């Protein structure tokens, strides 16, 4: 059975963050199982179909019957948490596409996700006979324009489900929320977990084993992977390319300076997680109570001024592809030289 990285992460998240005693990857129904509440399911199926056709023109079932829909069902990870007073079920579909989630154009993508969530509603009621739970769609990278429309659509689906007599919450974890609510808590807890079946955590543990060995190995991970095209550093550069080269030593000696704090936060995240993305860096630099040593009041303005050498900028240090943050290769040597001061 093939296990994807995203599915393995969610499996660990359900076990250690949601405290599920039972968790299964790649859940599928058996052909020998009875379908409970069949008449209710057929009524729900028809109401969902009619609602989205009438309001949005979405054909969410594509001519599929209820039987076909349930037969073809697959949920990436299902977890059940038991307590003395109740039990909670979590059904999660996770989409990990390095270039960003894409099921076609925006309408096709939204329709596909709604279909997945509705099918999960029907599966939980039909095969688990549970009318309460959380249905989650998770992705580390979704285009902001899709996220903007998808969030209210899933809120609407939650309200629709509750109006039909069920107590399911349909939730979206993507981009910054995926990192802060799913990935980060598990990486933090991962050092205390020794289960060889949890492949995501094992890969993180392997990386951390070597990442801590030398400062340069951690720093190098944050450098662009393209072939370097280094510019010659000029003495006392003020406005030319690479002007941060002469400023970094001054920043390194001044912990109260904003550039120092942003670079320090970058190195902290790099050492902790092996890579740095924009939401994580921004969250850390804006968390005055949790991380006062790297708090920057105007993070966005200062960070933008560290991505260019043009005009009155602070000087180019970072490359930002819209999500991942790496170090510009022209300043790698000087940053490595002052690495200990930034983390001192």
């Amino acid at each position: 059975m093939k296990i994807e990285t995203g599915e393995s992460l969610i499996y660990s998240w359900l076990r250690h963050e949601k405290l599920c005693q039972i968790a299964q990857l790649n859940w599928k129904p058996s052909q020998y199982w009875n379908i409970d509440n069949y008449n209710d399911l057929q009524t729900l199926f028809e109401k969902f179909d009619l609602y989205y056709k009438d309001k949005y023109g979405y054909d969410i079932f594509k001519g599929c019957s209820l039987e076909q829909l349930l037969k073809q069902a697959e949920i990436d990870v299902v977890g059940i948490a038991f307590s003395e007073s109740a039990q909670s079920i979590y059904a999660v579909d996770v989409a990990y596409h390095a270039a960003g989630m894409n099921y076609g154009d925006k309408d096709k993508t939204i329709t596909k996700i709604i279909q997945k969530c509705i099918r999960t509603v029907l599966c939980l009621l039909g095969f688990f006979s549970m009318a309460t739970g959380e249905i989650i769609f998770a992705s580390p990278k979704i285009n902001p324009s899709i996220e903007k429309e998808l969030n209210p659509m899933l809120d609407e689906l939650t309200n629709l489900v509750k109006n039909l007599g069920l107590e399911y919450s349909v939730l979206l974890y993507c981009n910054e929320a995926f990192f802060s609510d799913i990935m980060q808590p598990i990486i933090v807890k991962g050092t205390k977990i020794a289960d060889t079946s949890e492949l995501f955590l094992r890969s993180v543990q392997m990386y951390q084993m070597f990442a801590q060995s030398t400062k340069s190995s951690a720093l190098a991970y944050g450098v662009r992977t393209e072939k370097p095209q280094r510019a010659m550093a000029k003495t006392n550069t003020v406005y030319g390319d690479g002007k941060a080269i002469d400023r970094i030593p001054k920043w390194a000696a001044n912990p109260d300076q904003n550039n120092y704090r942003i670079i320090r936060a970058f190195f902290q995240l790099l050492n902790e997680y092996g890579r740095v993305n924009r939401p994580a860096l921004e969250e850390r630099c804006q968390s005055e109570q949790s991380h006062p040593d790297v708090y920057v009041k105007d993070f966005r303005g200062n960070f933008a001024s560290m991505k260019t050498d043009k005009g009155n900028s602070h000087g180019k240090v970072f490359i930002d592809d819209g999500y991942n943050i790496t170090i510009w290769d022209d300043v790698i040597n000087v940053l490595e030289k002052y690495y200990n001061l930034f983390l001192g």
Side-chain angles (χ1 to χ4, degrees):
M1 178 178 66
K2 183 177 73 170
I3 299 176
E4 300 287 350
T5 300
E7 294 169 359
S8 179
L9 167 60
I10 297 299
Y11 174 79
S12 296
W13 181 66
L14 289 180
R15 281 172 50 78
H16 307 299
E17 190 68 13
K18 293 299 186 179
L19 306 180
C20 293
Q21 292 92 341
I22 296 175
Q24 180 180 344
L25 291 157
N26 300 311
W27 177 89
K28 294 181 180 179
S30 167
Q31 61 182 318
Y32 298 105
W33 291 352
N34 291 324
I35 300 175
D36 297 327
N37 312 299
Y38 186 84
N39 291 335
D40 292 338
L41 289 177
Q42 184 65 46
T43 300
L44 289 172
F45 178 84
E46 292 170 0
K47 287 184 176 179
F48 283 130
D49 186 42
L50 185 62
Y51 181 87
Y52 283 99
K53 279 181 179 175
D54 284 352
K55 186 167 183 178
Y56 297 104
Y58 290 166
D59 183 8
I60 57 172
F61 298 129
K62 308 292 184 184
C64 223
S65 67
L66 174 62
E67 291 82 358
Q68 289 173 310
L69 190 76
L70 295 176
K71 185 177 180 180
Q72 296 168 2
E74 178 176 350
I75 302 172
D76 289 335
V77 197
V78 173
I80 303 177
F82 298 91
S83 68
E84 292 183 1
S85 59
Q87 61 187 35
S88 303
I89 190 165
Y90 302 89
V92 186
D93 277 300
V94 56
Y96 171 39
H97 304 152
M101 189 192 65
N102 183 12
Y103 294 128
D105 62 28
K106 184 162 61 177
D107 282 346
K108 287 181 180 178
T109 298
I110 292 173
T111 303
K112 180 73 172 178
I113 294 170
I114 290 173
Q115 184 206 60
K116 282 177 175 286
C117 294
I118 290 176
R119 184 168 62 184
T120 300
V121 168
L122 298 173
C123 284
L124 294 187
L125 185 60
F127 294 114
F128 292 87
S129 293
M130 295 178 69
T132 61
E134 289 188 9
I135 295 162
I136 296 167
F137 187 84
S139 179
K141 191 172 183 180
I142 293 181
N143 186 296
S145 66
I146 294 177
E147 180 188 4
K148 184 178 180 181
E149 291 196 25
L150 189 56
N151 261 315
M153 291 290 286
L154 295 188
D155 288 341
E156 179 183 26
L157 178 55
T158 295
N159 292 330
L160 176 60
V161 166
K162 291 185 176 181
N163 288 337
L164 293 174
L166 304 173
E167 289 298 323
Y168 296 122
S169 296
V170 186
L171 307 172
L172 175 67
Y173 289 87
C174 69
N175 301 335
E176 182 179 356
F178 184 95
F179 176 77
S180 61
D181 296 344
I182 295 178
M183 189 169 174
Q184 190 172 29
I186 290 306
I187 291 176
V188 171
K189 292 181 176 180
T191 56
K192 300 178 181 178
I193 297 169
D195 187 339
T196 57
S197 69
E198 299 192 37
L199 300 182
F200 173 82
L201 283 179
R202 295 291 284 177
S203 65
V204 170
Q205 290 164 359
M206 180 180 290
Y207 170 76
Q208 290 174 339
M209 184 189 306
F210 293 98
Q212 299 301 322
S213 61
T214 64
K215 67 179 183 180
S216 60
S217 65
L219 182 57
Y221 197 90
V223 184
R224 293 185 74 190
T225 56
E226 291 92 343
K227 182 178 178 181
Q229 296 180 357
R230 299 187 181 278
M232 294 297 291
K234 299 178 181 179
T235 304
N236 297 322
T237 302
V238 178
Y239 293 109
D241 289 344
K243 62 185 177 182
I245 292 171
D246 292 318
R247 297 179 176 183
I248 287 171
K250 298 175 184 177
W251 298 342
N254 187 359
D256 293 328
Q257 209 262 359
N258 288 329
N259 303 97
Y260 173 97
R261 293 185 170 207
I262 292 173
I263 294 172
R264 178 180 172 85
F266 176 90
F267 285 149
Q268 287 175 349
L269 292 167
L270 190 62
N271 284 341
E272 291 169 20
Y273 306 114
R275 64 191 312 137
V276 181
N277 62 52
R278 174 64 180 268
L281 184 63
E282 183 168 347
E283 180 185 18
R284 179 152 301 198
C285 288
Q286 294 188 328
S287 301
E288 185 174 10
Q289 291 185 341
S290 301
H291 301 283
D293 59 317
V294 294
Y295 174 68
V296 178
K297 185 175 181 180
D298 179 19
F299 167 78
R300 295 185 179 182
N302 282 279
F303 182 67
S305 192
M306 296 178 73
K307 297 189 294 181
T308 180
D309 277 332
K310 295 180 180 179
N312 293 321
S313 68
H314 298 167
K316 187 173 181 178
V317 175
F318 298 110
I319 301 292
D320 180 358
D321 69 1
Y323 186 73
N324 295 300
I325 307 298
T326 54
I327 297 172
W328 186 38
D329 46 53
D330 283 46
V331 301
I332 180 66
N333 287 338
V334 68
L335 275 179
E336 188 174 34
K337 182 178 178 180
Y338 292 94
Y339 177 88
N340 287 333
L341 284 178
F342 282 109
L343 283 183

